[in-house]
Amino acid sequence: MRTDIILSPWSMSHKSADPCDSFPESVFFTGNGRFGVRGYVPLCVKPRPIERGLFLAGIFGEIKSGITDFVNLPTPVYEALCLDGEPVSCISDIERELDLETAVLTYRYKAHCGEKYAELCETLFFPAEHPTLLLQRTEIRLFGAVNAAFTSGIELDSCNCTIPDDQMKENTEAVSLAELTSASSDAEQLCAEFAVKGTGLSVTEHVVFSQEGKFVKTAGSIGLTFTLEGNSTFCLDKLSYIRTSRDVPENIETMPIEFDFDTLLNEHKDAWKKRMRGCDIPLEDSELQTGLRYSMYQLIASCSRRDGTVSIGARGLTHARYKGCYFWDTDMFMLPFFLKNDLEAAKNLCRYRVGALPAAKRHSASMNTLGARYPWMASLDGSEQCETWDIGCSELHITADVVYALDSYCKASGDIDFYLDGAAEVYIETARFWMSRYTFRKEEHRADLLWCKGPDEYCGVSSNNLYTNAMVRHNLALAGKAAEDLKTNRPEVYARLGITDEERRDWDALRECISYPRDPKTGHLTTDDTFHLLESISISELKPDDCASYHHVCFDRLQRYKVVKQADVLLLMTRLPNEFSAEEKQNAWQDFEPICLHDSSLSFASHALFALQNGIREKGEEYMRKALLLDLRDIMGNTGKEGLHLACMGEAWQAALLM
């Protein structure tokens, strides 16, 4: 666990001697929701193409036929420095500070070349109201008679390390997914165009400087070089304007011909402060307070709130882990934050799912079922990106999770047009999927969901997962109501969808036949039909440290132990609390909290939420601390390596409402 991030009420800071430490680079990510950069030091001392780059919502490149990765794009957060003609060999005394209230990132450090050195101060921000822009200010102070050549521009060799879905496998091979197709320059600006491999997308990066320089191009960069004299201070302002071929035109402004750094900075601070203050929840514990504000900040910084064609990946814009794909994390854990604080952003997250309905229908057909089945891992076009066949085939609950999320938005917003002209059709088509996926014996009044895996993921591929069955019942009820509403208010849509009275009766019959599994000895609600058959084991034997258990025990063995990876039954009861009695909730806590391994970053916050909802305050506060400090203290040991855990942040914010 890390303790080197210093937390203040509205800011965080870090001092380091290691410019390549990936932990602060993850933690100090900053962006505006459309795009962002990890908190690496802009000055390039040695090549780090996998770890330095820029992530832009919706920009995926193909790594193999039909499989994409979230592109680590060439980055304008790039600099080089020579002292008396020699490149600096190291940097030291690195200080980072992130102002959470105004979303401004500051670096201070020294750049050395033997005994010669310069001090640098860098300020970076992504204007809140200008989603195409990135602003940087670099101040350099030279000591002694040393002269310097300072280069600022675009690093071209950023690339991806394609990480397999299998968490036990590592990959160090890099692949470039953005090819430079053209570059131009004059004394005050650069322009570079990139073609994205396989998907036909393109990105243009236009950079404007506050001073005139000399154009330089190397194998891995383009930029302008500025000459500095000894015993002087130099200041350079830089504006980057980034466009893509998939931009929604009404959301994209034209590039400013001129810019004033301080004016844009002050506008940005005012806008961001308003957003942060609007969703703040006061907590008594100062460390948790900063952790909560950090969670708010990062959720906002990874949500492209004006674009309904993208969602938020499991790691947001902070990393390409899981190929940048969209999971149930967004629908079930992040969306509630935006439902409370930004309905425009929430609507656009839901618009992505409605827009992906055709892909969900194709996916269902490919799995020999009817209607629409949402994929476990989706990228830009909504197609399945999961290459692990058992997970991709058995994690069915995401289809019902999407419906739950759409319904949550419709209830929170009262947006009747979105409901009738989009969400209702999703409810109908997913109901058709469930009708074809259950083994339904109507005459026996029985329906079984065979070969499925719920949120637990360590119970093996089983039958009748409680979480999934309950969410499907909810899905079917919403479909029946949607059919009636369409018949009354959108008869043309009702007719187009070919809904019949018999079909609606079948949905009702299926819903009534879906049962909830119970332990044969205790009668308590349980994870699935076979959970009671699993082998009991002491948690300490599987989890001697805070790292995930699969680092110590193989997946095959984990599937046969009576443990849970993360909240499953408990999570369900936080989402459909009125479906279960106080006694059932108490039994579930006593049964499952002691055997949870918390191998998923989703788990601490869900346990906190359940505990606080049900009056288990001491445990709730204990889990809240782990959830809110998960990344800031690197509790699971993978924050630097895999990026930030956005779902945990969203769930923790929900729990904080009950603190």
Side-chain angles (χ1 to χ4, degrees):
M1 186 170 78
R2 302 283 293 251
T3 59
D4 48 344
I5 301 293
I6 307 302
L7 304 180
S8 301
W10 280 102
S11 67
M12 45 186 282
S13 59
H14 181 262
K15 294 182 179 180
S16 173
D18 182 4
C20 300
D21 185 351
S22 63
F23 170 65
E25 292 184 352
S26 277
V27 172
F28 284 87
F29 168 86
T30 189
N32 59 12
R34 180 174 176 263
F35 67 115
V37 294
R38 288 164 58 84
Y40 62 84
V41 178
L43 190 67
C44 185
V45 177
K46 64 178 183 178
R48 297 177 63 213
I50 293 172
E51 297 167 304
R52 294 167 58 98
L54 174 147
F55 291 107
L56 200 158
I59 300 300
F60 292 86
E62 195 171 67
I63 53 176
K64 64 178 74 170
S65 179
I67 300 296
T68 61
D69 201 359
F70 193 30
V71 182
N72 185 33
L73 287 164
T75 174
V77 184
Y78 164 78
E79 295 166 352
L81 181 65
C82 291
L83 300 178
D84 283 340
E86 297 182 49
V88 295
S89 55
C90 68
I91 59 177
S92 67
D93 304 321
I94 304 161
E95 298 180 19
R96 294 174 173 90
E97 182 175 5
L98 177 60
D99 188 320
L100 299 172
E101 189 175 33
T102 61
V104 177
L105 178 60
T106 305
Y107 304 88
R108 292 179 177 84
Y109 56 94
K110 293 180 180 179
H112 301 265
C113 182
E115 298 298 317
K116 306 167 188 174
Y117 74 95
E119 290 183 349
L120 288 85
C121 177
E122 315 245 15
T123 303
L124 181 150
F125 69 97
F126 292 75
E129 300 304 311
H130 304 283
T132 58
L133 303 184
L134 162 60
L135 273 293
Q136 301 163 252
R137 170 172 284 175
T138 305
E139 299 170 273
I140 305 175
R141 184 181 178 188
L142 295 176
F143 294 88
V146 62
N147 294 320
F150 174 68
T151 301
S152 181
I154 302 173
E155 187 168 15
L156 302 176
D157 56 2
S158 300
C159 57
N160 284 58
C161 177
T162 55
I163 305 172
D165 296 342
D166 186 340
Q167 297 181 45
M168 297 303 295
K169 293 181 179 179
E170 297 286 344
N171 180 37
T172 58
E173 295 180 1
V175 57
S176 176
L177 295 176
E179 178 187 0
L180 179 68
T181 56
S182 68
S184 59
S185 170
D186 61 30
E188 292 183 315
Q189 56 185 320
L190 303 169
C191 185
E193 296 184 2
F194 304 92
V196 178
K197 181 180 178 180
T199 55
L201 299 173
S202 62
V203 176
T204 301
E205 300 185 11
H206 203 129
V207 184
V208 181
F209 299 88
S210 61
Q211 300 190 40
E212 293 186 358
K214 181 180 179 181
F215 177 69
V216 292
K217 181 177 181 181
T218 69
S221 69
I222 58 173
L224 296 185
T225 294
F226 306 87
T227 301
L228 290 67
E229 296 182 353
N231 288 309
S232 66
T233 299
F234 172 80
C235 181
L236 179 70
D237 293 339
K238 175 178 176 181
L239 176 147
S240 299
Y241 173 79
I242 300 184
R243 291 288 307 267
T244 81
S245 58
R246 62 165 307 278
D247 287 336
V248 181
E250 58 267 28
N251 295 341
I252 302 298
E253 60 193 335
T254 57
M255 190 187 80
I257 299 175
E258 297 179 350
F259 73 97
D260 182 88
F261 185 94
D262 293 310
T263 298
L264 286 169
L265 176 60
N266 290 331
E267 289 177 356
H268 164 76
K269 286 182 175 181
D270 290 343
W272 199 276
K273 185 181 296 185
K274 182 177 180 180
R275 291 177 71 180
M276 288 293 288
R277 291 286 184 179
C279 53
D280 195 33
I281 302 171
L283 298 179
E284 293 182 2
D285 186 298
S286 60
E287 187 177 48
L288 296 188
Q289 182 71 81
T290 306
L292 181 63
R293 288 169 176 164
Y294 180 72
S295 297
M296 292 155 37
Y297 170 82
Q298 292 296 352
L299 286 163
I300 295 170
S302 274
C303 179
S304 190
R305 63 188 299 267
R306 301 176 182 176
D307 188 350
T309 65
V310 298
S311 188
I312 307 173
R315 297 295 185 261
L317 301 177
T318 75
H319 202 276
R321 183 68 175 110
Y322 303 114
K323 301 183 290 229
C325 287
Y326 313 136
F327 290 77
W328 69 310
D329 301 41
T330 315
D331 309 281
M332 299 302 289
F333 299 94
M334 302 182 216
L335 179 67
F337 170 81
F338 297 102
L339 290 175
K340 290 283 188 180
N341 299 296
D342 189 343
L343 278 177
E344 180 184 8
K347 181 175 184 175
N348 279 318
L349 290 172
C350 291
R351 284 178 60 205
Y352 168 78
R353 289 301 194 186
V354 172
L357 179 60
K361 293 174 72 173
R362 291 192 296 271
H363 182 49
S364 184
S366 73
M367 303 296 284
N368 302 115
T369 46
L370 304 177
R373 170 180 174 161
Y374 281 85
W376 182 237
M377 297 172 62
S379 63
L380 185 60
D381 65 354
S383 62
E384 177 65 88
Q385 297 295 302
C386 183
E387 297 178 89
T388 307
W389 70 273
D390 57 336
I391 296 293
C393 294
S394 65
E395 293 266 12
L396 303 170
H397 62 85
I398 189 170
T399 295
D401 297 333
V402 168
V403 172
Y404 180 95
L406 297 181
D407 178 60
S408 297
Y409 168 74
C410 292
K411 284 185 169 67
S413 66
D415 191 340
I416 190 67
D417 289 333
F418 179 84
Y419 167 57
L420 293 173
D421 298 328
E425 185 172 350
V426 175
Y427 303 171
I428 302 299
E429 294 295 354
T430 51
R432 287 170 169 167
F433 164 68
W434 295 121
M435 281 295 304
S436 65
R437 184 57 174 80
Y438 273 78
T439 301
F440 183 23
R441 294 178 288 277
K442 190 174 183 180
E443 66 285 352
E444 298 177 25
H445 200 70
R446 180 179 178 85
D448 292 298
L449 186 59
L450 306 176
W451 214 86
C452 71
K453 185 183 281 283
D456 170 23
E457 295 184 348
Y458 280 0
C459 59
V461 179
S462 185
S463 301
N464 291 322
N465 171 256
L466 173 64
Y467 176 94
T468 309
N469 273 3
M471 295 298 284
V472 170
R473 284 172 58 91
H474 182 67
N475 189 160
L476 292 168
L478 291 173
K481 178 67 165 56
E484 185 62 33
D485 290 338
L486 288 176
K487 188 174 184 180
T488 303
N489 300 288
R490 296 288 194 275
E492 70 284 0
V493 177
Y494 186 88
R496 174 175 63 80
L497 294 177
I499 305 167
T500 65
D501 291 343
E502 180 181 4
E503 182 178 31
R504 292 166 59 184
R505 287 193 294 270
D506 284 343
W507 296 342
D508 290 339
L510 174 61
R511 185 172 183 271
E512 292 175 2
C513 291
I514 295 174
S515 61
Y516 292 172
R518 292 185 178 273
D519 186 277
K521 290 184 178 180
T522 65
H524 297 175
L525 290 166
T526 190
T527 305
D528 54 48
D529 282 350
T530 59
F531 192 78
H532 65 284
L533 300 175
L534 300 175
E535 179 184 343
S536 297
I537 188 171
S538 168
I539 292 292
S540 61
E541 292 184 46
L542 290 180
K543 201 172 175 74
D545 52 37
D546 289 326
C547 293
S549 303
Y550 52 75
H551 292 297
H552 307 289
V553 180
C554 74
F555 272 111
D556 175 70
R557 193 65 184 94
L558 279 172
Q559 304 291 318
R560 294 179 280 116
Y561 283 131
K562 188 178 285 188
V563 293
V564 292
K565 177 183 179 182
Q566 60 193 6
D568 187 307
V569 175
L570 300 181
L571 174 65
L572 170 65
M573 292 177 174
T574 67
R575 295 316 195 262
L576 298 175
N578 296 331
E579 286 284 308
F580 306 97
S581 68
E583 181 182 3
E584 287 173 325
K585 294 172 186 176
Q586 182 182 19
N587 290 337
W589 179 262
Q590 292 172 349
D591 290 342
F592 292 103
E593 191 269 342
I595 63 171
C596 184
L597 293 167
H598 302 291
D599 279 355
S600 167
S601 62
L602 307 177
S603 195
F604 295 135
S606 293
H607 277 72
L609 179 59
F610 181 96
L612 293 170
Q613 281 182 346
N614 293 283
I616 314 170
R617 191 156 191 87
E618 184 176 349
K619 272 290 190 178
E621 292 176 357
E622 178 185 322
Y623 279 118
M624 272 294 286
R625 185 168 298 279
K626 291 182 178 180
L628 288 175
L629 301 178
L630 182 77
D631 286 313
L632 292 172
R633 298 298 183 227
D634 199 16
I635 288 174
M636 298 190 75
N638 63 356
T639 293
K641 183 180 177 181
E642 298 186 5
L644 302 179
H645 300 83
L646 276 293
C648 179
M649 295 177 180
E651 186 87 333
W653 190 89
Q654 292 186 76
L657 293 170
L658 304 174
M659 290 285 282

